Amino acid sequence: MAVAIRVIPCLDVTDGRVVKGVNFANLRDAGDPVELAARYNEQGADEVTFLDISASARGRETTREVVTRCAQSVFIPLTVGGGVRGVDDVDALLRCGADKVGINTGAIAHPDVIDEITGRFGNQVLVLSLDARREAGMPSGFGVTTHGGRRSAGLDALAWVREAVDRGVGEILLNSMDADGTTDGFDIEMIEAVRAEVEVPLIASGGAGTVQHFVEAAQAGADAVLAASVFHFGVLTVAEVKAALADAGFPVRLV
């Protein structure tokens, strides 16, 4: 039996509030993370992803408190990312109730940290959050970025994803920085390119605006589809996305 396509709302959290913008700019308040997580739990979301976009240590502590409260009130897996640098950060988030932890800049700076984390906790715990965009001069045409897509990491996205999986990452969260927040659709070419490189589960993120966009991402090879704005602001519900996926012939977990 085919594995169900997962539908995952994403909460970008800063100073204890969910925010959302376009290409990580012009952020606006989208609500309380615990209330939103509970709503998505009721709607039938398969998971919830938290991305801590706070720059300060105070923000980190706030996010850990929020993760603890959410873990106590929802019954679906929680993935938490943002500011993860090593084993101790992963340990702290798992103790707060996270089921999986996302890593991005920390792994780019020190790739060995992937081996260390998966060696201690197992590869099912670690998600590589890959912020990629089209970049001239890269062999694949896609480059890795940091700082919300504003800074090139000087890495080819496909080469980096292969290395990360070889080191033990168990899942890829592929964020299209070009498409983020635009609601113009997922970057299908990028999804197909990453899918052709690795076999671990692939989460598509960035650009969702209609139910058809989610279907297109699944057709391109995504094992899960993630979105923020369309869910937070009531444009679409999780149930509507799942219905569209089911109508297109994809297995989903129905509520």
Side-chain angles (χ1 to χ4, degrees):
M1 182 177 176
V3 177
I5 300 290
R6 289 169 288 146
V7 178
I8 306 173
C10 181
L11 309 180
D12 294 316
V13 179
T14 183
D15 295 327
R17 298 290 293 180
V18 177
V19 296
K20 192 58 192 171
V22 177
N23 302 128
F24 285 78
N26 301 316
L27 299 178
R28 57 175 171 154
D29 189 277
D32 176 76
V34 179
E35 292 176 3
L36 284 172
R39 180 202 302 172
Y40 297 136
N41 183 77
E42 292 170 2
Q43 284 187 9
D46 298 292
E47 300 178 13
V48 170
T49 291
F50 285 75
L51 296 180
D52 173 12
I53 61 174
S54 304
S56 65
R58 177 174 60 85
R60 299 274 177 266
E61 289 303 315
T62 301
T63 296
R64 290 178 182 179
E65 177 199 343
V66 169
V67 171
T68 300
R69 288 164 52 211
C70 284
Q72 294 168 345
S73 61
V74 303
F75 305 98
I76 52 179
L78 302 177
T79 298
V80 185
V84 173
R85 295 288 184 268
V87 168
D88 290 346
D89 294 320
V90 175
D91 185 61
L93 289 169
L94 294 177
R95 290 176 185 276
C96 289
D99 297 280
K100 294 184 285 187
V101 174
I103 191 166
N104 184 348
T105 308
I108 293 170
H110 302 288
D112 287 348
V113 77
I114 296 174
D115 308 70
E116 295 165 5
I117 292 169
T118 58
R120 176 165 172 184
F121 300 107
N123 64 356
Q124 77 285 348
V125 160
L126 192 62
V127 179
L128 179 72
S129 184
L130 175 62
D131 292 345
R133 72 180 341 147
R134 281 167 170 72
E135 186 173 342
M138 290 295 169
S140 69
F142 299 109
V144 179
T145 71
T146 60
H147 300 80
R150 293 186 298 276
R151 188 176 301 177
S152 171
L155 294 172
D156 181 84
L158 297 191
W160 172 232
V161 80
R162 280 197 304 270
E163 178 181 350
V165 170
D166 287 344
R167 287 179 176 273
V169 158
E171 192 166 30
I172 305 297
L173 170 53
L174 177 63
N175 307 300
S176 170
M177 295 295 98
D178 296 317
D180 176 76
T182 64
T183 68
D184 292 331
F186 292 94
D187 190 326
I188 299 304
E189 185 182 356
M190 184 186 291
I191 295 169
E192 291 174 339
V194 172
R195 175 75 292 160
E197 290 294 329
V198 295
E199 295 183 355
V200 299
L202 174 62
I203 306 167
S205 169
T210 69
V211 292
Q212 184 59 28
H213 290 156
F214 292 91
V215 173
E216 291 166 357
Q219 290 169 337
D223 301 284
V225 284
L226 177 148
S229 302
V230 291
F231 292 143
H232 300 341
F233 301 120
V235 177
L236 298 173
T237 65
V238 170
E240 287 169 340
V241 172
K242 288 194 170 189
L245 287 165
D247 286 346
F250 291 99
V252 294
R253 183 183 67 88
L254 295 175
V255 182

